[in-house]
Every structure is written in structure tokens, then in C-alpha cells.
Amino acid sequence: MIERKHVDGEKKGEILIYALSTCGWCRKTKKHLEDLGIAYDYIDVDLLEGPESEEVMKTVRKFNEKGSFPTIVINGKHCVVGYNIDKVREILENEPD
Amino acid sequence: MSRIEGYIPTDDEIRTLLEKLDTEAEQSGYHLNPDREFVSFLMEGLLVNQKRFGYLSCPCRLASGDIEDDRDMICPCDYRDPDLDEFGACYCSLYVTEKVLRGEQKAGSIPERRPNREEREAVRKKKQAGPPEGVKVGLPYPVWRCKVCGYLAARDTPPEVCPICKASKERFERFM
Ligand code: SF4
């Protein structure tokens, strides 16, 4: 099982950010959600070992064919590619509780 | 930020790389993003990748660690110029256009232009070292093109580094 890091806040849905620890837009995404006080999980894919990283990338590509970062998956079914918090909030608002 | 084998770039290393890239950029008509805090974070990412792989792999893309496959995304990547043209910034927003610099255009998170693994493999197979197909010209010298900035050099071999964008010899392709 690949370890997800959790950031505390108000739970608005299941938010999982596939990120790189070195990427500027990933950092902005994480920080913006944190500033909004929204809870999320993240995986820094560049910090994983080879086989783990391959496994995670398969999932990332399922949601985002380019396999680019950040890929934000909401409630296991919606996907936002890139730093776009407005889109994330819009999806969260339209999701049934 | 990753702490590969406990490596944390120092403020000095970050500043030195930033100054170097800034000078090189300004000398050849490119500009770094004026958001110094954001850019310093990217410097940290570049330095971490330098330590990890031995080359300045793009901080916003997942490197394979195989230089042959990563070469197109060694900073500055092959995609910087088309992204500057279309979006006013490179994929990571390290480089921006003059318009963005002057605040006349806003740069944001942009779509990934780099082809995926299969597409890159296909292109590599097709190209190899020779001149592009169908080109048969009686030139006294072959012409080499820098894939980063488009600089052309008519000489027996490509230059060690591109005089315009400082990309290494390996970033050149046979053009004519
Ligand atoms: S030019 Fe920009 S997008 Fe390209 S490698 Fe450098 S930081 Fe990344």
C-alpha cells in the first residue's frame, strides 16, 4: 500500500493530489487548499521507489493520460489537472454529501 | 521538498543557480518569472534533480533517470519556446515572456506539451542521427538545429554548447 500523506482541515470530500515534491504548481495546489482549511491527502510520486512509482503512475494515467502533475482526484472519480483550485471547489460543491 | 539522501540545497546554492540562469536568460532574450519566491522553489527542485540524476531535469515532470529519455526535459526543455509563444510561460513558469514580465499577461498552470513515453519512443526511432527524410541538398556542411531555441549551425558537428541558449551538444539534431 502506498503511503498517502494527510493534511488536516475541513473534510469536503476525498481529495488526493498526485504531486512531485519539486514542482511549483503542486506546491501551490497543496498550499492553497491548506490556506482554505480543506483536508486532503497527497502522494509525492518522485519520492517513491521505482516499482511503487510505476504502480502509482498507472493510476495517474487512468485519470490523466499525460501523467502530468499535479493530478487531483476527487472522490475517486473526478479529476483536475494542474493548479486549478476553482475547478476543485466547483466539483466539491456539486458533489452530493 | 524532497530530501534525497538528506540533501537540502543551501540558500547559497539556490542563489548561485538563480543568478546564473537569470544572467543567461537576459543575455539571450529570455526572462525568468519575477516571482522570486516561486522561482527559488524551482531552483531547489532543479538542484535536487541535479543531485538525483546528474542533470537539471525539469522540476515539474517525473524523470526516468535515463538521460536518453529525459534529455528533452533538461532545463531549458525542448518545450519552453512553444509554451512561451502559446501561453506566455514555460510549463513550470520558470521562464515568462516580456508581456508577462510587464504584467500585461497572466501566466498560469498550462497543459503538458511533452509527448508521452510511447510517442517519444516513436519519434526517436524515426529520427536517429541522419538528415530528415527527403533532404538531399548539396551543401558544403551539414546544418544542425538546437532543439531548445532553434539556433542553426552549418558545420561538421554541432557546437559544444549552443551559443544562444547554452544547451549542450546532445540537444542538437541534424536539420539539413
Ligand atoms: S524551461 Fe521550464 S518547463 Fe522547461 S524544464 Fe525548465 S523549468 Fe521545466
Side-chain angles (χ1 to χ4, degrees):
Chain A
M1 193 56 195
I2 282 136
E3 201 201 326
R4 301 174 175 194
K5 295 193 188 104
H6 180 72
V7 176
D8 247 341
E10 194 187 335
K11 196 164 177 344
K12 301 242 184 187
E14 204 65 61
I15 304 175
L16 176 57
I17 308 172
Y18 293 96
L20 297 177
S21 68
T22 52
C23 147
W25 295 123
C26 299
R27 186 173 77 141
K28 279 218 189 252
T29 304
K30 293 170 182 168
K31 200 161 172 301
H32 198 155
L33 284 176
E34 206 175 322
D35 290 346
L36 291 171
I38 297 174
Y40 65 91
D41 287 348
Y42 70 93
I43 299 174
D44 282 332
V45 182
D46 59 321
L47 301 184
L48 302 175
E49 296 299 327
E52 282 187 337
S53 148
E54 275 297 315
E55 191 190 321
V56 172
M57 283 314 291
K58 272 189 205 144
T59 313
V60 175
R61 286 198 197 94
K62 253 193 269 168
F63 286 102
N64 163 18
E65 180 261 331
K66 278 282 186 185
S68 60
F69 300 95
T71 293
I72 306 144
V73 175
I74 301 161
N75 294 339
K77 54 178 189 237
H78 303 284
C79 169
V80 176
V81 175
Y83 170 54
N84 189 346
I85 298 296
D86 288 345
K87 192 80 192 287
V88 171
R89 294 175 86 172
E90 192 188 305
I91 291 170
L92 290 173
E93 273 158 30
N94 291 323
E95 277 290 278
D97 290 322
Chain B
M1 174 57 62
S2 76
R3 306 291 180 222
I4 275 295
E5 286 128 37
Y7 172 62
I8 304 166
T10 64
D11 288 348
D12 243 15
E13 287 176 303
I14 292 171
R15 203 176 324 114
T16 307
L17 181 61
L18 178 58
E19 276 166 17
K20 176 175 175 279
L21 294 187
D22 193 29
T23 309
E24 286 176 2
E26 290 301 326
Q27 276 170 357
S28 35
Y30 292 94
H31 309 287
L32 293 191
N33 189 330
D35 182 344
R36 286 292 128 138
E37 200 266 336
F38 185 76
V39 165
S40 293
F41 181 76
L42 293 175
M43 293 304 110
E44 226 176 308
L46 282 169
L47 287 162
V48 165
N49 280 345
Q50 166 83 40
K51 198 63 132 197
R52 284 169 170 167
F53 309 114
Y55 43 89
L56 293 174
S57 195
C58 179
C60 308
R61 295 177 168 118
L62 185 63
S64 69
D66 170 4
I67 190 162
E68 289 308 319
D69 190 39
D70 293 340
R71 186 162 278 131
D72 62 322
M73 58 163 184
I74 295 176
C75 191
C77 62
D78 292 7
Y79 315 102
R80 173 183 65 173
D81 287 18
D83 279 336
L84 283 170
D85 285 347
E86 191 173 343
F87 302 107
C90 73
Y91 184 61
C92 297
S93 251
L94 172 56
Y95 291 92
V96 297
T97 55
E98 202 158 331
K99 262 194 163 170
V100 170
L101 195 65
R102 286 199 304 253
E104 290 163 19
Q105 190 190 347
K106 235 179 96 67
S109 190
I110 63 172
E112 169 64 302
R113 182 186 296 274
R114 186 182 193 231
N116 66 29
R117 213 185 330 185
E118 291 74 34
E119 292 163 342
R120 290 199 304 276
E121 185 65 21
V123 170
R124 253 205 310 275
K125 282 218 176 96
K126 226 176 79 191
K127 282 214 175 145
Q128 302 300 354
E133 255 176 75
V135 177
K136 274 199 197 75
V137 278
L139 297 173
Y141 293 99
V143 178
W144 303 92
R145 175 181 177 275
C146 172
K147 287 200 263 188
V148 177
C149 72
Y151 168 77
L152 297 178
R155 39 182 280 171
D156 288 328
T157 53
E160 284 304 321
V161 287
C162 173
I164 303 301
C165 74
K166 309 287 181 278
S168 69
K169 186 177 193 155
E170 292 75 26
R171 305 291 288 274
F172 279 77
E173 64 183 353
R174 181 79 186 265
F175 185 66
M176 283 204 284

